[in-house]
Amino acid sequence: MAKNNKKIVPIAIVCALIAVAAVAAFLLTRPSKEKETISVYNWGDYIDTACLDLFEQETGIEVIYEVFETNEDMYAKIAEGGSSYDVIIPSDYMVERMIEEQLLQKINWDNIPNIVNIDPRFLHEDYDPEAAYSVPYTWGTMGILYNTKRVTTPPTSWQTLLDPAYANDMLMLNSPRDTLGIALVMCGHDLNSTDPADLEDAKNLLLEQKPMVLAYVVDEVKDKMIAGEASVALVWSGDATFCMDESDDLDYVVPEEGSNIFYDSICIPANARNVSGAEKFIDFLCRADIAAMNYEYVGYAIPNTAAIELMGADEYNASPVNNPPQEVLDKCHVFKYLGDDTKLYDQIWTEIISDF
Ligand code: SPD
């Protein structure tokens, strides 16, 4: 017995020393409490960045913010799977695609109380019929922004974009679905057509137009039109509002043949890391004061009734760009996700912009 006790005492001392060392090592190497973050992936120029600062001040959650230029760019990044975002803002047809491909997660509405501020007419759209995955953020039309000093007769038709009078003086959107959609309309076809013959017509029209195009652009369209670098441009309505606020020489028209109406919506990707942070951010964006702040900065029409009331409905509704007459809206159609036929659009688009 005495022999055994002699062994036990040193073992107990060694064990105690190891435990003390382990606790000390844990306390010394433990990382300090990390700051909570959310990762937001949004269109360029599509939020008042002061809102990001405000969100961080109010919640302590830091926003890591990245931008994209087209739905297709955003989709490619998410679908390839290497990155994780907590909040993204796709358009209608891309929401539809991402739901179908299980790239989005359902939203827990209990955590978005400010959803009551959103006009119910903007919920349950065809791209998210159960209003399960998306929160309407902005909406708008596509049309022609033109310089009234140089285009003295206001354009009424998309054929303006084929007028040699504007050769090297016109800007087109560097966005496959938008530009091909309008080319389909210019050829008298449905803007969601998947008929190869219709798409061949649209491609030929865009190839005919190409030598007259000064540049295919997205966000740069604003600076260029404000600076008077081109006379006409294919634009989204919110960018037209932004430009018209900056220059009295610009006006916007939705041509008589009809156009695209789009809805951009806030979504949470399936692989989001901080869902509760994402929900807080989405709820924050739906707050009346924040939606109003964004509207003033971004220029796109908003579905947030409380924000419109806060800003003054009469003033908001006075904008013919963001509040187009019903007869204009009746001729506007939403893009739908076209499944495998999307590949045909992508091929044609590559052909159009290559060697530009
Ligand atoms: N500068 C950001 C513009 C975002 C506009 N979204 C338009 C989508 C059209 N399908």
Side-chain angles (χ1 to χ4, degrees), residues 24 49 53 59-60 67 74 88 91 109 125 146 152 167 194 196 216 240 264 284 296 306 316 333-334 340:
T49 51
D53 298 336
T59 62
V67 295
M74 180 275 303
I88 55 171
S91 304
W109 298 110
E125 292 284 344
Y146 61 99
T152 44
T194 54
Y216 294 93
D264 290 344
F284 176 80
E296 300 287 357
Y316 176 87
H333 304 281
V334 182
D340 279 351

Side-chain angles (χ1 to χ4, degrees), residues 278-329:
E279 290 167 343
K280 286 188 187 113
F281 188 65
I282 294 172
D283 196 49
F284 176 80
L285 291 180
C286 290
R287 223 167 75 183
D289 58 329
I290 301 301
M293 210 169 142
N294 271 331
Y295 172 74
E296 300 287 357
Y297 182 89
V298 170
Y300 280 76
I302 52 172
N304 192 309
T305 316
I308 293 171
E309 275 166 18
L310 191 68
M311 291 184 288
D314 289 345
E315 196 185 324
Y316 176 87
N317 288 328
S319 160
V321 179
N322 286 339
N323 184 32
Q326 193 56 45
E327 61 266 28
V328 169
L329 291 176

